[in-house]
């Protein structure tokens, strides 16, 4: 049975055939079933081989819950196998079942307190799910320092630096970033996006002309009052006016809300009904409306809001802000430059570089945020890069 599964598996790869792959998966699982029914019939080593490949191929096909069930069955047979347990924890993380993931890694760490894989993943869950920065920093740094397989990943370095910054330990954070840069995991200590195209011009602040999109930006500036009026009308719509809270756990205090018009290269028709003129100004300009790695949205920052220092996910876009309502006491930091918006004026930066935002005034700040493709990207890249 195992031999048959291997053959189907190889054929699937050779022919790039999902049908064959699904048959391979079923056959591998047949080995696991057989081992359950007749424990003496299947040598343990063979069971392990079949089950691990079965899990791997299921995950490749996106059958995450099926894979998890095989993992659970396997773990019952090999309760002392720490790698199996860790892999199951990882499955829970990938399925966003963080409570279950925590339990698995806690079990591992109770028995094997120095297991690097469990340490980094436990830290990762503490950061992303529990927002426990102190705990996350402790586990992530111990895990990374173990240098064990599975611990040297850009997301762990990025996450460790991030929690250290939030804990006010900037110097330590930049040490972590610098180490990641040395290992080729991050582009630079300040430009820390993880989804990148290599050869793009890296520059935190951009002039209108440098983007080559200056005519488009000028047209938006010339129409800024009309854009502002549409945004204000939406803000005044009762009671759930369609502005949504930011969900990425980037705020320290206050409220930061968005009203999206385009996202990942698509027009959000239901929202554009409420901002028809703004959407019309954007729609025919493909570098903005077709930017699959960005959005166009109204962004509102209430008084008393602080958005933590952070970096965007990709270097493939530039982020333009058109100031619409700009009270006193608001500012944006990009690396070490402090920027103040101006009503009716567009400011452009590359949000893959570290930035931070404050509204320490008494009134709401409103901007139209327009992401555009990085001008160095070819047409082919704009068509084929995955959406973010
Ligand atoms: C950001 O990109 O994080 C901020 O500039 C967004 C905003 O609304 O200021
Ligand atoms: Mn940002």
């Amino acid at each position: 049975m195992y031999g048959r599964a291997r053959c189907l598996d190889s054929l699937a790869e050779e022919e790039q055939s999902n049908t064959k792959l699904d048959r391979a998966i079923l056959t591998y699982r047949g080995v696991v079933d057989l081992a359950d029914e007749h424990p003496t019939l299947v040598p343990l080593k063979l069971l392990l081989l079949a089950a691990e490949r079965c899990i791997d191929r299921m995950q490749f096909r996106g059958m995450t819950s099926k894979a998890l069930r095989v993992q659970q069955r396997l773990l019952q047979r090999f309760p002392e196998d720490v790698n199996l347990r860790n892999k199951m924890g990882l499955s829970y993380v990938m399925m966003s079942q963080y409570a279950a993931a925590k339990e698995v890694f806690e079990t591992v760490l109770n028995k094997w307190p120095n297991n690097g894989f469990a340490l980094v993943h436990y830290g990762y869950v503490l950061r992303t799910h529990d927002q426990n920065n102190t705990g996350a920093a402790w586990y992530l740094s111990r895990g990374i320092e173990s240098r064990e397989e599975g611990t040297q990943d850009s997301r762990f370095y990025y996450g460790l630096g991030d929690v250290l910054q939030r804990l006010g330990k900037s110097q330590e954070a930049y040490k972590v970033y610098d180490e990641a840069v040395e290992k080729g995991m991050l582009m630079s200590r300040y430009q820390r996006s993880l989804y990148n195209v290599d050869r793009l011009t890296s520059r935190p602040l951009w002039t209108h002309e440098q983007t080559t999109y200056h005519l488009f930006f000028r047209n938006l500036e010339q129409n800024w009052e009309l854009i502002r009026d549409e945004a204000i009308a939406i803000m005044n719509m009762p009671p759930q006016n369609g502005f949504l809270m930011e969900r990425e756990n980037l705020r320290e205090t206050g409220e930061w809300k968005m009203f999206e018009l385009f996202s990942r290269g698509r027009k959000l028709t239901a929202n554009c009904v409420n901002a028809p003129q703004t959407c019309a100004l954007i729609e025919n300009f493909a570098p903005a409306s077709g930017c699959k790695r960005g959005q166009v949205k109204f962004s509102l920052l209430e008084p008393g809001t602080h958005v933590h220092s952070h970096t965007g996910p990709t270097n493939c876009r530039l982020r333009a802000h058109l100031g619409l309502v700009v009270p006193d006491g608001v500012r944006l930091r990009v690396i070490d430059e402090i920027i103040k918006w101006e009503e009716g004026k567009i400011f452009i930066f590359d949000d893959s570089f570290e930035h931070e935002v404050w509204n320490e005034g008494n009134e709401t700040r409103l901007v139209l945020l327009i992401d555009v493709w990085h001008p160095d990207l070819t047409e082919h890249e704009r068509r084929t890069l995955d959406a973010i």
Side-chain angles (χ1 to χ4, degrees), residues 103-169:
E103 214 179 291
V104 173
F105 293 126
E106 276 163 9
T107 312
V108 173
L109 290 171
N110 268 332
K111 224 167 167 177
W112 298 276
N114 298 318
N115 185 281
F117 190 97
L119 285 166
V120 276
H121 285 85
Y122 193 62
Y124 181 84
V125 175
L126 289 183
R127 172 176 113 85
T128 43
H129 182 249
D130 293 10
Q131 280 116 56
N132 171 355
N133 292 336
T134 315
W138 195 84
Y139 284 98
L140 279 168
S141 62
R142 293 211 34 221
I144 287 173
E145 276 163 23
S146 79
R147 315 275 154 203
E148 277 172 32
E149 203 184 319
T151 63
Q152 301 303 298
D153 185 297
S154 55
R155 283 167 306 171
F156 301 135
Y157 282 82
Y158 179 99
L160 175 57
D162 184 68
V163 290
L164 288 171
Q165 276 185 301
R166 291 191 188 194
L167 291 167
K169 300 182 177 173

Side-chain angles (χ1 to χ4, degrees), residues 250 256 307 310-312 317 319 349 351 355 357:
L250 292 175
W256 177 20
V307 178
H310 66 282
T311 57
R317 71 187 186 206
R319 178 156 278 193
F349 74 112
D351 80 321
H355 57 284
V357 197

Side-chain angles (χ1 to χ4, degrees), residues 91-374:
S91 291
Y92 282 125
V93 173
M94 293 195 307
M95 294 165 78
S96 305
Q97 296 194 24
Y98 295 112
K102 266 178 79 175
E103 214 179 291
V104 173
F105 293 126
E106 276 163 9
T107 312
V108 173
L109 290 171
N110 268 332
K111 224 167 167 177
W112 298 276
N114 298 318
N115 185 281
F117 190 97
L119 285 166
V120 276
H121 285 85
Y122 193 62
Y124 181 84
V125 175
L126 289 183
R127 172 176 113 85
T128 43
H129 182 249
D130 293 10
Q131 280 116 56
N132 171 355
N133 292 336
T134 315
W138 195 84
Y139 284 98
L140 279 168
S141 62
R142 293 211 34 221
I144 287 173
E145 276 163 23
S146 79
R147 315 275 154 203
E148 277 172 32
E149 203 184 319
T151 63
Q152 301 303 298
D153 185 297
S154 55
R155 283 167 306 171
F156 301 135
Y157 282 82
Y158 179 99
L160 175 57
D162 184 68
V163 290
L164 288 171
Q165 276 185 301
R166 291 191 188 194
L167 291 167
K169 300 182 177 173
S170 283
Q171 282 202 340
E172 283 180 51
Y174 286 112
K175 256 195 230 155
V176 172
Y177 294 141
D178 289 344
E179 196 185 326
V181 172
E182 227 165 82
K183 297 194 152 141
M185 293 174 181
L186 295 178
M187 282 192 294
S188 80
R189 62 180 354 202
Y190 296 119
Q191 190 179 21
R192 303 192 295 268
S193 47
L194 299 181
Y195 299 88
N196 303 312
V197 168
D198 276 345
R199 60 187 162 72
L200 305 182
T201 307
S202 274
R203 182 192 292 135
L205 306 183
W206 289 66
T207 67
H208 291 210
E209 281 71 25
Q210 281 168 337
T211 68
T212 71
Y213 305 140
H214 41 286
L215 294 182
F216 167 68
F217 289 134
R218 193 198 300 157
N219 189 38
L220 289 179
E221 287 186 344
Q222 282 168 352
N223 289 284
W224 79 275
E225 284 165 305
L226 184 157
I227 296 170
R228 175 199 60 194
D229 293 346
E230 285 191 335
I232 289 178
I234 296 167
M235 283 166 65
N236 291 334
M237 272 168 25
Q240 283 294 329
N241 58 16
F243 269 88
L244 298 176
M245 293 283 259
E246 176 271 338
R247 287 161 310 193
E248 292 167 78
N249 172 32
L250 292 175
R251 269 168 318 121
E252 180 190 29
T253 54
E255 277 190 24
W256 177 20
K257 294 183 191 160
M258 323 276 187
F259 187 87
E260 283 193 322
L261 302 174
F262 293 81
S263 178
R264 299 157 62 101
R266 286 169 184 271
K267 180 179 170 182
L268 303 179
T269 321
N271 281 356
C272 278
V273 167
N274 295 311
Q277 308 199 72
T278 306
C279 288
L281 286 164
I282 309 280
E283 188 160 11
N284 294 320
F285 190 69
S289 60
C291 180
K292 284 190 288 170
R293 294 197 158 186
Q295 299 103 39
V296 176
K297 58 196 178 190
F298 293 119
S299 171
L300 177 165
L301 213 62
E302 298 286 13
T305 304
H306 172 218
V307 178
H308 283 297
S309 183
H310 66 282
T311 57
T314 175
N315 74 342
C316 294
R317 71 187 186 206
L318 301 177
R319 178 156 278 193
H321 283 190
L322 171 62
L324 299 175
V325 178
V326 184
D328 286 337
V330 297
R331 66 184 193 281
L332 163 70
R333 173 180 70 81
V334 182
I335 310 182
D336 51 10
E337 301 267 354
I338 298 292
I339 285 105
K340 305 216 168 159
W341 298 271
E342 273 181 69
E343 291 181 356
K345 292 278 173 268
I346 283 180
F347 154 75
I348 305 144
F349 74 112
D350 178 338
D351 80 321
S352 60
F353 286 91
E354 178 178 303
H355 57 284
E356 184 172 4
V357 197
W358 295 263
N359 182 351
E360 295 175 337
N362 306 312
E363 290 160 64
T364 304
R365 184 227 60 177
L366 182 65
V367 300
L368 175 67
L369 190 157
I370 312 119
D371 289 332
V372 288
W373 281 124
H374 191 294

